[in-house]
Amino acid sequence: MARILITSALPYINGIKHLGNLVGSQLPADLYARYMRARDHEVMFICATDEHGTPAELAAAKTGEAVDAYCARMHEVQADLARGFRLSFDHYGRSSSARNRALTQHFAGKLAENGFIEEHSEKQVYSIADGRFLPDRYIEGTCPNCGYDRARGDQCENCTKQLDPTDLINPRSAISGSTDLEVRETKHLYLRQSLLKGEIDAWIDAQTDWPLLTTSIARKWLHDGDGLQDRGITRDLHWGVPVKKGDAEWPGMEGKVFYVWFDAPIEYIAATAEWADATDKSDKDWERWWRTDKGAEDVRYVQFMGKDNVPFHTLSFPATIMGSREPWKLVDYIKSFNYLNYDGGQFSTSQGRGVFMDQALSILPPDYWRWWLLSHAPESSDSEFTWENFQASVNKDLADVLGNFVSRITKFCRSKYGEVVPEGGETGERAAALVAELEIRVRAYESHMEAMEVRKAAAELRAIWAAGNEYLQSAAPWTVVKTEPERAAAMVRLSLNLVRLYAVLSEPFIPDAAAVMLEAMGTTDRSWPGNVAAALETLPAGHAFTTPDNLFRKITDEEREDWEKRFSGVRS
RNA sequence: GGCUAGGUAGCUCAGCUGGUUAGAGCACGUGACUCAUAAUCACGGGGUCGGGGGUUCGAGUCCCCCCCUCGCCA
């Protein structure tokens, strides 16, 4: 039994995520976690909402809530949706937790002690009306280069010229529109990543089994231009982790907070501590996942994320951990995803384009979405969601291939033998061939799951389902039963056992349907098939079962057209 | 403009270090079956592997040039 730590990139707090966000990290991470648990490994699966920063403050201001109340509410909304999609987090934490505050301050203190923090004085624009400093994106004005009147503080979107906020003509706050601005001197902390460049470089070089997508992004940032740059880790905001050196005050940094990218990944660790708190465990229990001096040396740590998150996880977060000079666990494998497009364009949170998690669940149960998203995960390149493809995939794979298999065998058995696994007879050559095929396919499925080859695993699982239909079709118990009822009984017995096997194998993809299948088969035996032949003798003759309702319904053309229209525009 | 990843059957995609007639699922056609959610199973049609050069006995697979899509960066 191995110990596997799994984290999914943290969804930002300001709003409901779309299906592209879901398939880019949380969903494949859940697939992997469920599979590893099914294989009897000890799994810690962690996710959390990323709550700090200006976007959260602005979103709260819009709804008229205090920012902490807004975050608490939105956390519940997102946690609810995660449950709705059956995401099996051991803990769904919050980056605004007390644990993360303490841990973030602890890391900052250690980094300072070890000489990896530098104080910089800089000039920034302060808005008197808003009572705050305005980061680059939150100040607008006229571009001195081209005259475009909505240039942002960091860049003019019209002529692409890079700007300093102080260059803008007639600058105004993008938050309130106020022009009552002044330039103030402010001090910030920088993480001296440049000093760690050699160490990070060597570490990346050692990751020979990582996908090119991951290492090439890291190398680009390490080697381009002047190499890895130091980064500011503090901001003049109210909402965030107060800047402290461990438990101690940080002179000159009063009223400032850590920048969100610094505290967010630390939340992976803090959320595990939150898990311990929530389940009445001790510090030891979470530290054995994260501290290599306290039992984590045999943990395999896998991170899931979209490609946009790769730089933070290959450079910034490792720099934080390495620079602490404490024995924290570094990631062992990063699984990154490309983007999912929506019907010829991009999913867009800001424009409300695409299908969002709450909308998806309002029209169909989670298994339908899980199956389509995972079997079309954007692994090797960006992939595309279309309603037509979704309908075809769900109807064919889930309803016709798997659902109908369960339906035809349980109903046939019920009408000929009653709702009991029939006894007698011997299975023949066809059954032996089926077992041999499944033995090969199940091993292939396992190796794809272990390698996190999500699409390939889905394709293999589908082939495993189809093998059951092929067997039934060629064995034809409905014909055999007329002349040799015992031989037909053996075929039915084998097929009912296939239903249980399918439930066990399919659970990581479609947990609800798997639960229904197991319940219908009247068993709680979820043991993984070490040997397919043996696994197909789990339900003995005389074992009672029930005939379930259809596992999946089909999506009609009318529904598809309706949804296509409903989700074509902008979310209201 | 620089960089990454792509451009393979109508659609969504596989094709590792170059090697027999280029694969899968869906869609389409024909047949079989009738237990089942008008489901299933078998067989078949369909591609000059973005374009052009080159290396090689042999290239979708390597090299060069060009075109197109997507993303990141400046």
Side-chain angles (χ1 to χ4, degrees):
Chain A
M1 189 172 93
R3 295 173 60 216
I4 302 164
L5 174 63
I6 302 166
T7 61
S8 159
L10 309 186
Y12 196 70
I13 195 71
N14 72 337
I16 290 164
K17 304 296 114 178
H18 55 61
L19 296 182
N21 297 133
L22 182 64
V23 75
S25 58
Q26 296 182 27
L27 196 51
D30 182 67
L31 180 79
Y32 189 63
R34 285 177 179 275
Y35 171 74
M36 285 302 172
R37 289 191 196 108
R39 300 308 307 276
D40 277 331
H41 296 307
E42 189 182 356
V43 169
M44 177 60 68
F45 180 24
I46 292 294
C47 192
T49 41
D50 173 13
E51 305 190 358
H52 291 137
T54 312
E57 287 186 318
L58 296 181
K62 236 182 202 168
T63 65
E65 288 163 284
V67 64
D68 54 345
Y70 170 83
C71 287
R73 183 172 65 78
M74 285 309 297
H75 174 81
E76 277 319 307
V77 169
Q78 295 210 21
D80 242 9
L81 289 168
R83 281 189 287 273
F85 276 95
R86 308 292 182 258
L87 301 175
S88 61
F89 305 133
D90 287 289
H91 191 74
Y92 192 48
R94 302 183 55 187
S95 70
S96 62
S97 70
R99 282 289 196 175
N100 195 40
R101 187 164 61 240
L103 208 49
T104 299
Q105 291 167 343
H106 168 84
F107 271 105
K110 286 292 165 190
L111 287 165
E113 238 171 66
N114 298 327
F116 293 116
I117 299 285
E118 196 171 49
E119 296 186 9
H120 270 273
S121 219
E122 51 197 64
K123 289 182 170 38
Q124 261 205 328
V125 176
Y126 185 87
S127 164
I128 293 160
D130 296 308
R132 62 188 300 165
F133 282 95
L134 298 175
D136 302 337
R137 307 167 39 192
Y138 294 103
I139 174 164
E140 288 179 351
T142 303
C143 175
N145 189 47
C146 71
Y148 180 61
D149 69 349
R150 290 182 59 193
R152 297 191 324 203
D154 52 347
Q155 182 181 36
C156 172
E157 284 178 318
N158 189 49
C159 69
T160 75
K161 186 175 167 61
Q162 279 224 281
L163 301 170
D164 247 3
T166 46
D167 296 339
L168 292 170
I169 301 164
N170 301 324
R172 61 183 180 273
S173 161
I175 299 168
S176 62
S178 165
T179 53
D180 192 8
L181 310 176
E182 63 183 38
V183 174
R184 290 189 183 178
E185 182 104 353
T186 181
K187 213 158 69 167
H188 282 295
L189 303 181
Y190 275 67
L191 176 59
R192 303 178 73 185
Q193 299 184 131
S194 54
L195 298 179
L196 289 158
K197 176 172 178 275
E199 256 175 89
I200 295 172
D201 211 0
W203 176 65
I204 293 287
D205 275 343
Q207 312 305 330
T208 52
D209 63 333
W210 285 13
L212 193 64
L213 179 67
T214 305
T215 50
S216 66
I217 291 174
R219 290 213 170 84
K220 177 180 153 50
W221 286 67
L222 280 164
H223 301 303
D224 256 25
D226 299 331
L228 191 58
Q229 297 298 299
D230 296 344
R231 289 195 73 157
I233 58 166
T234 55
R235 284 293 184 271
D236 289 294
L237 296 178
H238 308 295
W239 179 235
V241 175
V243 176
K244 280 188 166 189
K245 212 178 269 188
D247 295 332
E249 295 303 322
W250 204 311
M253 299 304 292
E254 296 80 7
K256 296 177 195 293
V257 300
F258 287 107
Y259 189 29
V260 60
W261 77 255
F262 183 70
D263 79 68
I266 294 172
E267 169 64 9
Y268 291 141
I269 304 173
T272 316
E274 292 171 45
W275 160 83
D277 295 341
T279 54
D280 280 326
K281 305 260 189 332
S282 66
D283 280 345
K284 263 192 188 156
D285 292 305
W286 70 263
E287 285 170 345
R288 65 190 277 276
W289 289 99
W290 284 102
R291 293 282 300 216
T292 56
D293 59 336
K294 294 177 181 176
E297 63 287 319
D298 66 335
V299 167
R300 177 167 162 80
Y301 177 21
V302 181
Q303 293 176 340
F304 288 79
M305 68 196 68
K307 59 184 171 186
D308 51 327
N309 256 316
V310 169
F312 297 110
H313 291 78
T314 52
L315 305 169
S316 309
F317 187 42
T320 300
I321 289 194
M322 289 175 184
S324 75
R325 298 298 182 224
E326 292 182 329
W328 297 98
K329 180 82 194 157
L330 278 167
V331 66
D332 292 304
Y333 191 82
I334 291 178
K335 174 73 179 177
S336 57
F337 288 84
N338 290 287
Y339 293 138
L340 180 68
N341 290 322
Y342 179 75
D343 237 352
Q346 291 178 30
F347 274 93
S348 165
T349 302
S350 54
Q351 291 168 32
R353 185 166 194 282
V355 184
F356 289 73
M357 286 170 74
D358 56 340
Q359 299 170 323
L361 288 179
S362 76
I363 58 177
L364 284 172
D367 280 355
Y368 294 61
W369 298 104
R370 289 178 63 106
W371 174 253
W372 189 88
L373 290 168
L374 289 168
S375 62
H376 294 78
E379 288 181 297
S380 54
S381 62
D382 292 356
S383 68
E384 171 124 343
F385 175 92
T386 65
W387 286 101
E388 209 171 328
N389 190 304
F390 177 65
Q391 178 195 25
S393 208
V394 163
N395 289 357
K396 197 72 195 171
D397 299 346
L398 295 182
D400 293 347
V401 175
L402 176 62
N404 182 54
F405 175 79
V406 173
S407 174
R408 68 196 295 204
I409 191 58
T410 51
K411 286 175 182 167
F412 178 72
C413 184
R414 182 174 61 182
S415 76
K416 302 297 177 193
Y417 305 93
E419 288 185 307
V420 166
V421 178
E423 63 179 322
E426 295 290 324
T427 53
E429 267 176 45
R430 284 207 177 82
L434 170 70
V435 169
E437 182 190 344
L438 287 180
E439 187 68 48
I440 291 167
R441 289 199 180 279
V442 168
R443 300 312 149 220
Y445 179 60
E446 289 169 357
S447 64
H448 289 143
M449 287 295 255
E450 255 140 56
M452 292 164 252
E453 297 262 25
V454 177
R455 297 175 87 125
K456 287 182 179 169
E460 198 60 54
L461 182 58
R462 202 201 108 98
I464 288 170
W465 296 338
N469 281 317
E470 286 167 36
Y471 168 72
L472 271 189
Q473 202 63 34
S474 62
W478 46 89
T479 306
V480 175
V481 72
K482 292 171 187 164
T483 52
E484 302 166 89
E486 293 228 324
R487 204 155 71 80
M491 295 170 180
V492 171
R493 192 163 63 244
L494 178 73
S495 300
L496 289 169
N497 270 287
L498 277 176
V499 174
R500 187 203 71 94
L501 179 70
Y502 289 172
V504 172
L505 295 176
S506 309
E507 193 273 347
F509 281 90
I510 45 174
D512 285 359
V516 171
M517 289 159 77
L518 280 180
E519 203 192 330
M521 289 304 105
T523 181
T524 54
D525 187 343
R526 294 168 169 260
S527 55
W528 194 263
N531 171 294
V532 170
L536 292 176
E537 289 174 3
T538 307
L539 305 178
H543 179 87
F545 70 91
T546 53
T547 302
D549 292 336
N550 287 342
L551 255 38
F552 301 98
R553 72 177 187 82
K554 295 201 196 190
I555 296 169
T556 64
D557 290 349
E558 292 71 44
E559 282 177 314
R560 189 202 69 210
E561 283 162 22
D562 175 41
W563 295 337
E564 220 162 5
K565 258 183 237 143
R566 232 162 93 195
F567 297 109
S568 65
V570 170
R571 183 189 174 108
S572 49

